[in-house]
């Protein structure tokens, strides 16, 4: 993906990830699932995706998000996985 | 019977009233009168029940939903039920104050219809002077920071202007442009002779879309809704009957799809008589074409039946008089000839190289 609407290339220095205003993150009680709701789409989040996205408050930078997750999930490969996941979310335009 | 999967989406037809008169309008030929519409309290209850049923997404549509003075209250009701709201509007009646009220109530996004890139042609197709209001509405939505979708129904009268239409959508700041080829039932079926494009027009339009997709690289979503008359392939209508979404009509009638109002013996349930959960799980209307048990040959043993669900029931009924037959759009349907005759016969406008003159519509209006 390219163009002004979505994020491409390396993340900007000092990036503080935040959910795009077009998406809404919700817990679905009926299906016991975490969802990203978009204008014409519903994305069912798997694994720890929702836990990571909940930390994208526009305040924490990437290091802070990784540190927070590392303390919650000792031993998990957060340092590699989380930045890669957030980069993909930025590519989709769901996180900016 | 195993429980049906929970519905994800609700199409809320808040009113059939509309200042526009589009000749392909998806509302039924018999429009619900305003005096029979659900009240604010009834819509609030519909949203509450829909949320409990598993609905997470609603299109607040019509007609023109802005004609409902209580729209903000309905948005709030959806939002409190955990449902993401998208307003589907012609743009007529949207001003800054109205949009601010709706946004404060929790409105998440807006889908705006456009009939043509040329103002005069857009107004002619809509049967109402509305282009200027649309342009204004788009600017307001952008200024409010809401995602903007532009929806264009495509037909013989505007397919050749596709480049200009896409440019207009981009100028207006759309995040998503839906290019929806006309589906022929209801008003569109009545106007089929005037709306049916030619194969050449469609071929050029497909190339145009591809060119723009390459150029935009995903920055703006270009959605192409296929013209099912031309490909010999049935569309997976509504993601299956009673499988993914439900429609509530202005008077509370609940339907598996907005066009299903045309099926004569469906006997659709109403939220004024039954809870939404009962309607979804147990009503005859929602179970009639659910799953595969209702299918006959060739669908019954076809390898594609889990992908397209045998196509569209309303189209099968409209073209064969029997809603349980294979959708005639499918090349395997024994009735496919009725569609092929329209799209390949050189004596018919759509089969010929040159389009017949445009216009001459039976505009949508109350009283059919
Ligand atoms: S299709 Fe046209 S006439 Fe029908 S509801 Fe939409 S804007 Fe109104
Ligand atoms: S025969 Fe039925 S299931 Fe098979 S492709 Fe055609 S419509 Fe779909």
């Amino acid at each position: 993906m390219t163009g002004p609407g979505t994020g491409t290339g390396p993340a900007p220095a000092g990036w503080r990830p935040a959910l795009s205003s077009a998406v809404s993150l919700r817990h679905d009680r009926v299906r016991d699932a975490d969802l990203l709701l978009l204008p014409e789409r519903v994305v069912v989040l798997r694994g720890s995706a929702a836990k990571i996205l909940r930390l994208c408050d526009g305040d924490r930078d990437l290091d802070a998000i990784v540190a927070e997750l590392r303390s919650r999930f000792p031993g998990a490969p957060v340092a590699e996985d989380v930045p890669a996941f957030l980069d993909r979310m930025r590519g989709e335009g769901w996180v900016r | 019977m195993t429980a049906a999967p929970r519905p994800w989406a609700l199409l809320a037809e808040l009113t059939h009233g509309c200042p526009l008169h589009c000749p392909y309008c998806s509302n039924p030929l018999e429009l619900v009168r305003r005096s029979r519409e659900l009240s604010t309290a009834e819509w609030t209850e519909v949203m509450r029940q829909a949320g409990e049923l598993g609905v997470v997404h609603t299109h607040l549509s019509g007609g023109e939903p802005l004609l409902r003075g209580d729209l903000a209250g309905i948005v709030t009701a959806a939002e409190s039920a955990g449902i993401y709201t998208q307003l589907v509007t012609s743009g007529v009646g949207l001003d800054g104050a109205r949009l601010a009220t709706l946004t404060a109530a929790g409105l998440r996004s807006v889908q705006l219809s456009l009939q043509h890139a040329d103002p005069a042609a857009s107004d002619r197709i809509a049967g109402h002077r509305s282009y200027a209001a649309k342009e204004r509405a788009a600017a307001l939505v952008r200024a409010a920071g809401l995602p903007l979708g532009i929806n264009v129904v495509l037909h013989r009268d505007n397919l050749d202007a596709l480049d200009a239409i896409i440019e207009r959508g981009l100028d207006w700041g759309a995040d998503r442009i839906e290019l929806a080829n006309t589906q022929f039932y209801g008003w569109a079926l009545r106007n089929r002779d005037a709306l049916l494009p030619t194969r050449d027009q469609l071929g050029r339009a497909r190339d145009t879309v591809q060119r723009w997709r390459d150029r935009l690289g995903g920055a703006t979503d270009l959605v192409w809704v296929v013209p099912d008359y031309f490909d010999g392939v049935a569309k997976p209508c509504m993601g299956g009957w009673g499988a993914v979404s439900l429609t509530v009509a202005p008077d509370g009638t609940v339907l598996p799809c907005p066009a299903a109002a045309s099926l004569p013996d469906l006997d659709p349930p109403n939220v004024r008589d039954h809870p939404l959960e009962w309607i979804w799980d147990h009503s005859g209307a929602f179970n009639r074409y659910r799953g595969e048990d209702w299918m006959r040959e060739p669908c019954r043993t076809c390898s594609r039946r889990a992908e397209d669900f045998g196509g569209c029931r309303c189209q099968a009924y409209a073209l064969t008089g029997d809603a349980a037959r294979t959708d005639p759009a499918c090349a395997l349907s024994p009735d496919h000839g009725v569609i092929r005759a329209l799209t390949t016969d050189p004596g018919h406008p759509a089969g010929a190289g040159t389009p017949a003159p445009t216009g001459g519509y039976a505009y949508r209006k109350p009283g059919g």
Side-chain angles (χ1 to χ4, degrees), chain B residues 251-268:
Chain B
D251 62 355
T253 303
V254 191
L255 296 161
C257 127
S262 67
L263 301 179
D265 57 349
L266 190 64
D267 190 21

Side-chain angles (χ1 to χ4, degrees), chain B residues 234 295 298-299 302-305 308-311 326-327 330-333:
Chain B
M295 286 182 182
C299 294
C302 178
S303 63
R304 286 187 42 83
R305 69 184 185 281
D308 67 19
F309 323 105
T326 295
D327 183 340
C330 174
L332 303 172
S333 154

